[in-house]
Amino acid sequence: MLEKYYKEQQEGRRFVVFAKVDGKAVGYATLLSCNPHGPEALRSLPVVNDFNVLEGYQHHGIGNSILDRIEAQAATMSDEIALGVGMHPGYGSAQRLYVKRGYVPDGSGVWYRDVLLPMNGACCNDDDLVLYLSKKLK
């Protein structure tokens, strides 16, 4: 996947930020100029498309540093940025980080497999269950 991201960055379709500790990649995030899925597809907002910090390196400021760079790049495109975050406990650290950084739910509800989940809709609490958040940058 990282090779794909590198190629897309070379083509100008994706902005990628890596974090390294002692020469080892420990985290990354990518930014798209707009999200092809979810509620942001129609809003044309830059969107964090993939964000990861290895578990042993979380809670050391690495995620914040990555997001600082991503948000700075997004600010050259828009006054707002969006992202989707999974709802299961594995995303707990990311959920807390986004709230602390000023991201708020966009109000569209919960999405499952890129489709708005209706009230009482069936889903599985897996990586495809997502809440979209946004943040004003300026």
Side-chain angles (χ1 to χ4, degrees):
M1 182 178 316
L2 295 180
E3 289 177 11
K4 173 188 168 203
Y5 289 168
Y6 177 76
K7 180 181 179 208
E8 290 176 353
Q9 178 165 290
Q10 296 300 104
E11 296 168 350
R13 297 180 6 217
R14 183 182 300 267
F15 179 75
V16 182
V17 173
F18 282 97
K20 291 183 177 182
V21 173
D22 298 327
K24 176 184 175 185
V26 298
Y28 67 91
T30 79
L31 182 73
L32 298 174
S33 60
C34 64
N35 193 356
H37 308 289
E40 309 313 331
L42 300 176
R43 294 181 62 202
S44 297
L45 292 179
V47 62
V48 178
N49 180 254
D50 194 359
F51 174 50
N52 287 291
V53 175
L54 294 178
E55 197 169 316
Y57 294 89
Q58 293 175 7
H59 308 291
H60 293 95
I62 293 169
N64 274 310
S65 295
I66 292 170
L67 285 176
D68 286 345
R69 295 272 320 276
I70 289 289
E71 289 174 3
Q73 179 67 25
T76 68
M77 300 180 247
S78 175
D79 63 350
E80 193 172 355
I81 187 172
L83 56 80
V85 64
M87 300 306 300
H88 67 70
Y91 290 99
S93 291
Q95 293 165 357
R96 292 175 51 82
L97 175 64
Y98 298 145
V99 169
K100 288 178 182 179
R101 290 185 64 94
Y103 288 83
V104 296
D106 71 357
S108 67
V110 179
W111 291 68
Y112 187 62
R113 296 187 176 155
D114 297 327
V115 176
L116 180 61
L117 189 63
M119 186 171 157
N120 300 318
C123 69
C124 179
N125 193 5
D126 58 17
D127 288 348
D128 293 326
L129 184 63
V130 175
L131 179 67
Y132 284 92
L133 310 171
S134 62
K135 174 183 176 178
K136 295 285 185 193
L137 296 172
K138 299 175 185 174

Coordinates of all heavy atoms in Angstrom, one line a residue, residues 14-56:
R14 N -2.0 12.6 -4.1 CA -2.0 12.3 -2.6 C -0.8 13.0 -2.0 O 0.3 13.0 -2.6 CB -1.9 10.8 -2.4 CG -2.0 10.4 -1.0 CD -1.9 8.8 -0.8 NE -3.0 8.1 -1.5 CZ -4.1 7.7 -1.0 NH1 -4.4 8.0 0.3 NH2 -5.0 7.0 -1.7
F15 N -0.9 13.5 -0.8 CA 0.2 14.1 0.0 C 0.4 13.1 1.1 O -0.5 12.7 1.8 CB -0.2 15.4 0.5 CG 0.8 16.1 1.4 CD1 1.9 16.7 0.8 CD2 0.7 16.2 2.8 CE1 2.9 17.3 1.6 CE2 1.6 16.8 3.5 CZ 2.7 17.4 2.9
V16 N 1.7 12.7 1.3 CA 2.0 11.7 2.3 C 3.1 12.2 3.3 O 4.0 12.9 2.9 CB 2.6 10.4 1.6 CG1 2.9 9.3 2.7 CG2 1.7 9.9 0.6
V17 N 2.8 12.0 4.6 CA 3.8 12.4 5.6 C 4.2 11.1 6.4 O 3.3 10.3 6.8 CB 3.1 13.4 6.6 CG1 4.1 13.6 7.8 CG2 2.8 14.7 5.9
F18 N 5.5 10.9 6.6 CA 6.0 9.8 7.3 C 6.7 10.3 8.6 O 7.3 11.4 8.5 CB 7.1 9.0 6.5 CG 6.5 8.1 5.5 CD1 6.4 8.5 4.2 CD2 6.0 6.8 5.9 CE1 5.8 7.6 3.3 CE2 5.5 6.0 5.0 CZ 5.4 6.4 3.6
A19 N 6.6 9.6 9.7 CA 7.4 9.9 10.9 C 8.4 8.8 11.1 O 8.0 7.6 11.0 CB 6.5 10.0 12.1
K20 N 9.6 9.1 11.4 CA 10.7 8.1 11.7 C 11.3 8.4 13.0 O 11.4 9.5 13.5 CB 11.8 8.2 10.6 CG 11.4 7.8 9.2 CD 12.5 7.9 8.3 CE 12.2 7.4 6.9 NZ 13.4 7.4 6.0
V21 N 11.6 7.3 13.7 CA 12.4 7.3 14.9 C 13.6 6.4 14.7 O 13.4 5.2 14.4 CB 11.5 6.8 16.1 CG1 12.4 6.7 17.4 CG2 10.4 7.8 16.4
D22 N 14.8 6.9 14.9 CA 16.0 6.1 14.7 C 16.0 5.5 13.3 O 16.4 4.3 13.2 CB 16.2 5.1 15.8 CG 16.3 5.8 17.2 OD1 16.9 6.9 17.2 OD2 15.9 5.2 18.2
G23 N 15.6 6.2 12.3 CA 15.6 5.7 10.9 C 14.5 4.7 10.6 O 14.4 4.2 9.5
K24 N 13.6 4.4 11.6 CA 12.5 3.4 11.4 C 11.2 4.2 11.2 O 10.9 5.1 12.0 CB 12.4 2.5 12.6 CG 11.3 1.5 12.5 CD 11.2 0.7 13.8 CE 10.0 -0.2 13.8 NZ 9.8 -0.9 15.0
A25 N 10.4 3.9 10.1 CA 9.1 4.5 10.0 C 8.2 4.0 11.1 O 8.0 2.8 11.2 CB 8.6 4.1 8.6
V26 N 7.6 4.9 11.8 CA 6.8 4.6 12.9 C 5.3 5.1 12.8 O 4.5 4.8 13.6 CB 7.4 5.0 14.3 CG1 8.7 4.3 14.5 CG2 7.5 6.5 14.3
G27 N 5.1 5.9 11.7 CA 3.8 6.4 11.5 C 3.7 7.1 10.2 O 4.7 7.5 9.6
Y28 N 2.5 7.3 9.7 CA 2.3 8.1 8.5 C 0.8 8.5 8.4 O -0.1 8.0 9.1 CB 2.6 7.2 7.3 CG 1.6 6.0 7.1 CD1 0.5 6.1 6.3 CD2 1.9 4.8 7.7 CE1 -0.4 5.1 6.1 CE2 1.0 3.7 7.5 CZ -0.1 3.9 6.8 OH -1.0 2.8 6.6
A29 N 0.6 9.4 7.5 CA -0.8 9.9 7.2 C -0.8 10.3 5.7 O 0.3 10.7 5.2 CB -1.3 11.0 8.1
T30 N -1.9 10.2 5.1 CA -2.1 10.7 3.7 C -3.3 11.6 3.6 O -4.2 11.5 4.4 CB -2.2 9.5 2.7 OG1 -3.6 9.0 2.7 CG2 -1.2 8.4 3.0
L31 N -3.2 12.5 2.7 CA -4.2 13.5 2.5 C -4.6 13.5 1.0 O -3.8 13.5 0.1 CB -3.6 14.9 2.8 CG -4.6 16.1 2.7 CD1 -5.6 16.1 3.8 CD2 -3.8 17.4 2.7
L32 N -5.9 13.4 0.8 CA -6.5 13.6 -0.5 C -7.1 14.9 -0.7 O -7.6 15.5 0.3 CB -7.5 12.5 -0.8 CG -7.0 11.0 -0.8 CD1 -8.2 10.1 -0.9 CD2 -6.0 10.8 -1.9
S33 N -7.2 15.5 -1.9 CA -7.8 16.8 -2.0 C -9.3 16.7 -1.8 O -9.9 17.7 -1.5 CB -7.5 17.4 -3.4 OG -8.0 16.5 -4.4
C34 N -9.9 15.6 -2.0 CA -11.3 15.4 -1.6 C -11.5 13.9 -1.4 O -10.8 13.1 -1.9 CB -12.2 16.0 -2.6 SG -12.2 15.2 -4.3
N35 N -12.6 13.6 -0.7 CA -12.9 12.2 -0.4 C -13.9 11.7 -1.4 O -14.9 12.2 -1.7 CB -13.6 12.1 1.0 CG -13.6 10.7 1.5 OD1 -13.3 9.7 0.8 ND2 -14.1 10.5 2.7
P36 N -13.5 10.5 -2.1 CA -14.5 10.0 -3.1 C -15.6 9.3 -2.4 O -16.6 8.9 -3.1 CB -13.6 9.0 -3.8 CG -12.5 8.6 -2.9 CD -12.3 9.8 -2.0
H37 N -15.6 9.1 -1.1 CA -16.7 8.4 -0.4 C -17.2 9.2 0.8 O -16.6 10.2 1.2 CB -16.2 7.0 0.2 CG -15.5 6.2 -0.9 ND1 -16.1 5.6 -1.9 CD2 -14.2 5.9 -1.0 CE1 -15.3 4.9 -2.6 NE2 -14.1 5.1 -2.1
G38 N -18.3 8.8 1.3 CA -18.9 9.4 2.5 C -19.5 10.8 2.3 O -19.6 11.2 1.2
P39 N -19.8 11.4 3.4 CA -20.5 12.7 3.2 C -19.6 13.8 2.6 O -20.1 14.8 2.1 CB -20.8 13.1 4.7 CG -19.8 12.4 5.5 CD -19.5 11.1 4.8
E40 N -18.3 13.7 2.7 CA -17.4 14.7 2.2 C -17.2 14.6 0.7 O -16.7 15.5 0.1 CB -16.0 14.6 2.9 CG -16.1 14.6 4.4 CD -17.0 15.6 5.0 OE1 -17.2 16.7 4.5 OE2 -17.5 15.3 6.1
A41 N -17.7 13.6 0.1 CA -17.6 13.4 -1.4 C -18.2 14.6 -2.1 O -17.7 15.0 -3.2 CB -18.3 12.1 -1.9
L42 N -19.3 15.2 -1.6 CA -19.9 16.3 -2.3 C -19.4 17.7 -1.8 O -19.7 18.7 -2.5 CB -21.4 16.2 -2.0 CG -22.1 15.0 -2.5 CD1 -23.6 15.0 -2.2 CD2 -22.0 14.8 -4.1
R43 N -18.6 17.7 -0.7 CA -18.2 19.0 -0.2 C -16.8 19.4 -0.7 O -16.4 20.5 -0.5 CB -18.2 18.9 1.3 CG -19.6 18.7 1.9 CD -19.6 18.7 3.4 NE -19.1 19.9 4.0 CZ -18.6 20.0 5.2 NH1 -18.5 19.0 6.0 NH2 -18.1 21.2 5.7
S44 N -16.1 18.5 -1.3 CA -14.8 18.8 -1.9 C -13.8 19.3 -0.8 O -13.0 20.1 -1.1 CB -14.9 19.8 -3.0 OG -15.6 19.2 -4.1
L45 N -13.8 18.7 0.3 CA -12.9 19.0 1.4 C -11.7 18.1 1.3 O -11.8 16.9 1.0 CB -13.5 18.9 2.8 CG -14.6 19.8 3.2 CD1 -15.1 19.4 4.6 CD2 -14.2 21.2 3.2
P46 N -10.5 18.6 1.6 CA -9.3 17.7 1.8 C -9.6 16.8 2.9 O -10.2 17.2 3.9 CB -8.2 18.6 2.1 CG -8.7 20.0 2.4 CD -10.1 20.0 1.9
V47 N -9.2 15.5 2.8 CA -9.5 14.5 3.8 C -8.3 13.7 4.1 O -7.5 13.3 3.2 CB -10.7 13.6 3.3 CG1 -10.3 12.9 2.0 CG2 -11.2 12.7 4.3
V48 N -8.1 13.4 5.4 CA -7.1 12.5 5.9 C -7.6 11.1 5.5 O -8.7 10.7 5.9 CB -6.9 12.6 7.4 CG1 -5.8 11.6 7.8 CG2 -6.5 14.0 7.8
N49 N -6.9 10.4 4.6 CA -7.4 9.2 4.1 C -6.9 8.0 4.8 O -7.5 6.9 4.9 CB -7.0 9.1 2.6 CG -7.5 7.8 1.9 OD1 -6.7 6.9 1.7 ND2 -8.8 7.7 1.7
D50 N -5.7 8.1 5.4 CA -5.1 6.9 6.2 C -4.2 7.6 7.2 O -3.4 8.4 6.8 CB -4.4 6.0 5.2 CG -4.1 4.7 5.8 OD1 -4.4 4.4 7.0 OD2 -3.5 3.8 5.1
F51 N -4.3 7.1 8.4 CA -3.4 7.7 9.5 C -3.1 6.6 10.4 O -4.0 5.9 11.0 CB -4.2 8.8 10.2 CG -3.5 9.4 11.4 CD1 -2.1 9.8 11.3 CD2 -4.2 9.6 12.6 CE1 -1.5 10.3 12.4 CE2 -3.5 10.1 13.7 CZ -2.2 10.5 13.6
N52 N -1.8 6.3 10.6 CA -1.4 5.2 11.5 C -0.1 5.6 12.3 O 0.8 6.2 11.7 CB -1.1 4.0 10.7 CG -2.3 3.3 10.2 OD1 -3.1 2.8 11.0 ND2 -2.5 3.3 8.9
V53 N -0.1 5.3 13.5 CA 1.2 5.4 14.3 C 1.3 4.0 15.0 O 0.3 3.5 15.6 CB 1.1 6.5 15.4 CG1 2.4 6.4 16.3 CG2 1.0 7.9 14.7
L54 N 2.4 3.4 14.9 CA 2.6 2.1 15.5 C 2.3 2.1 17.0 O 2.7 3.1 17.6 CB 4.1 1.6 15.2 CG 4.4 1.3 13.8 CD1 5.9 0.9 13.7 CD2 3.5 0.2 13.2
E55 N 1.7 1.1 17.5 CA 1.2 1.1 18.8 C 2.3 1.4 19.9 O 2.0 2.2 20.8 CB 0.6 -0.3 19.2 CG -0.2 -0.3 20.4 CD -1.1 -1.5 20.5 OE1 -1.6 -2.0 19.6 OE2 -1.1 -2.0 21.7
G56 N 3.5 0.9 19.7 CA 4.5 1.2 20.7 C 5.0 2.7 20.7 O 5.7 3.1 21.6

